[in-house]
Amino acid sequence: MILTDRMKRTRQRCAVAKQRVAKLLSTATGLILTIAISFAIVILLILVLSDEPGRAIYFFFIGPFTKAYYLGNMLNQSIGLMFTGLGIAVAFKSSTFNLGGEGQAYSGALVATVILLALPNMPGIVGGPAALIGAVVIGAFVAGLSGFFKMRWGTDQLISSFLVSSAVILIVNYFVTGPLDDPTNSMLTTARIAEQYQLLLIFKPSKLDISIFFAVATAIGTYFFMQRSHWGYEMRMCGINREFSKYAGINVGKYLLVPMAISGGFHGLAGGITVMGTHYRCLKGVTAGLGWNGIAVALIAKNNPLAVIPAALFFAYLDAGAKAAMLHADVTFELAKIAQGVIFFLVTAQALYGLFDSKKKRKKVAR
């Protein structure tokens, strides 16, 4: 009897494992097909609109790998995208919606800069973490406001997060161009942070720094947090069905606030690392694009923290390829953006991902 029960449980586990593998293969096949189609459309656009299509195609797809400088900067660009993509993935997985990533990352960059400028003689191992913690806190606070508004008054998070972010961007601009502006620099920027706070470069002459390992480790940790922890389980349950979670005894109000705060913390961290690893100061608009691009990364990754890593690399690759094509061929900025838009639209669409599942279901019905 005991042996029979064990055999049943083993068979059930095998069946579940097979279903997961089949679903993963179906998704991967759909994604590969979608990328192939989108790349074909980009090639067609270049053939039609470029006077030197061969050169343009070469640099669009191969350009990021032709020089160590291009490759390193491409990898460096993916760091911030990993953090903002993780922030969006956590929020979306919990069925909360954060459109305020731009302001959260920008405020994180400012707070990190202020802390580092206020501690010019502090050892890097002390001041650096303090600045990043400050960036996380301010990002979590800015995003948490929208979560609190939703929990307290039912305010739409899409609208409130965007409006709060827009206001925060103006406030940060005021400080960067006003009280914190560096009068010795012709750009709209703060003073440069001390050398001990600048993250170690690992692939010169590019700007790639050691934080890429931290970003990958954070993505792995986030995956295990969402899949293995009690909080992660409740957040996912609220994302699947908030009403059911409520009747199951989960404090659903808390999970309107917590995922938003975590999401904002990731965005603030992205801003802080951008300052410490790439620019060494807070320029006006230093994190522009990180918030919106993080949404694209999370959509490509289907809100899977582990998939955020290749999704961020893919996004950075497309951007680097577009820049290389603009620099070495006759590809215009507009054509590069159209090409990127086509790829992102098709990759984030759902149509082809379930194509093979549908075929399998039809075969089963036919049988």
Side-chain angles (χ1 to χ4, degrees):
M1 185 69 178
I2 296 175
L3 184 60
T4 304
D5 291 340
R6 287 180 178 176
M7 290 177 65
K8 287 182 178 179
R9 286 197 295 268
T10 303
R11 289 175 181 173
Q12 289 174 351
R13 290 171 184 171
C14 290
V16 171
K18 286 181 181 179
Q19 289 177 354
R20 289 178 178 176
V21 171
K23 184 178 180 181
L24 180 62
L25 289 175
S26 175
T27 302
T29 305
L31 178 60
I32 292 170
L33 180 60
T34 303
I35 292 174
I37 293 173
S38 59
F39 278 179
I41 293 175
V42 170
I43 292 173
L44 181 62
L45 284 172
I46 293 176
L47 288 173
V48 172
L49 300 175
S50 174
D51 294 328
E52 40 183 5
R55 184 177 178 84
I57 291 170
Y58 173 81
F59 279 104
F60 192 97
F61 294 104
I62 309 298
F65 306 102
T66 56
K67 293 183 180 180
Y69 180 77
Y70 294 162
L71 177 60
N73 284 343
M74 179 189 78
L75 294 175
N76 183 63
Q77 183 182 359
S78 71
I79 297 172
L81 294 173
M82 287 185 199
F83 287 115
T84 56
L86 285 173
I88 296 299
V90 169
F92 284 4
K93 198 74 172 178
S94 308
S95 194
T96 57
F97 302 98
N98 182 8
L99 294 187
E102 291 290 312
Q104 294 151 25
Y106 200 13
S107 62
L110 177 67
V111 169
T113 304
V114 169
I115 292 174
L116 296 176
L117 292 178
L119 305 171
N121 301 316
M122 187 73 70
I125 198 170
V126 177
L132 293 180
I133 291 172
V136 170
V137 170
I138 189 63
F141 173 76
V142 173
L145 286 175
S146 297
F148 175 77
F149 295 156
K150 176 69 173 180
M151 181 178 66
R152 186 70 177 82
W153 297 295
T155 308
D156 189 284
Q157 287 177 317
L158 289 172
I159 297 174
S160 65
S161 60
F162 176 74
L163 292 179
V164 170
S165 172
S166 300
V168 167
I169 290 173
L170 296 177
I171 294 171
V172 175
N173 282 340
Y174 164 75
F175 282 104
V176 171
T177 60
L180 299 176
D181 182 49
D182 182 8
T184 65
N185 197 311
S186 60
M187 296 187 295
L188 297 174
T189 178
T190 65
R192 187 182 177 92
I193 63 175
E195 187 174 351
Q196 71 267 24
Y197 298 133
Q198 299 171 15
L199 297 178
L200 177 67
L201 299 179
I202 58 175
F203 198 62
K204 295 180 179 180
S206 72
K207 283 286 189 178
L208 179 62
D209 63 79
I210 199 170
S211 65
I212 191 170
F213 301 114
F214 178 52
V216 172
T218 302
I220 296 172
T222 303
Y223 172 81
F224 282 102
F225 169 76
M226 292 298 292
Q227 295 296 325
R228 304 298 181 188
S229 73
H230 178 72
W231 272 24
Y233 170 77
E234 292 189 338
M235 287 166 64
R236 287 188 291 112
M237 287 302 100
C238 288
I240 295 171
N241 191 318
R242 198 169 293 278
E243 284 298 317
F244 175 82
S245 300
K246 180 179 179 180
Y247 287 111
I250 297 175
N251 183 354
V252 295
K254 180 174 71 173
Y255 293 110
L256 292 171
L257 174 60
V258 171
M260 288 294 289
I262 294 175
S263 178
F266 276 127
H267 282 82
L269 184 60
I273 286 181
T274 298
V275 168
M276 296 176 63
T278 304
H279 299 286
Y280 311 134
R281 52 171 59 95
C282 186
L283 298 93
K284 183 180 180 181
V286 67
T287 59
L290 269 183
W292 295 117
N293 293 342
I295 296 175
V297 168
L299 290 175
I300 293 172
K302 291 188 167 295
N303 302 325
N304 184 326
L306 288 181
V308 163
I309 300 172
L313 291 171
F314 178 69
F315 194 107
Y317 161 69
L318 292 178
D319 191 65
K323 290 177 180 176
M326 285 189 291
L327 183 64
H328 296 284
D330 65 343
V331 172
T332 62
F333 175 81
E334 290 78 14
L335 176 57
K337 289 301 178 184
I338 290 172
Q340 285 180 302
V342 168
I343 292 172
F344 297 143
F345 175 76
L346 290 176
V347 170
T348 55
Q350 303 292 317
L352 294 177
Y353 287 82
L355 180 63
F356 298 94
D357 280 340
S358 299
K359 287 184 177 180
K360 290 179 181 179
K361 289 177 181 178
R362 285 197 295 268
K363 287 181 180 179
K364 288 182 179 179
V365 171
R367 289 174 185 174

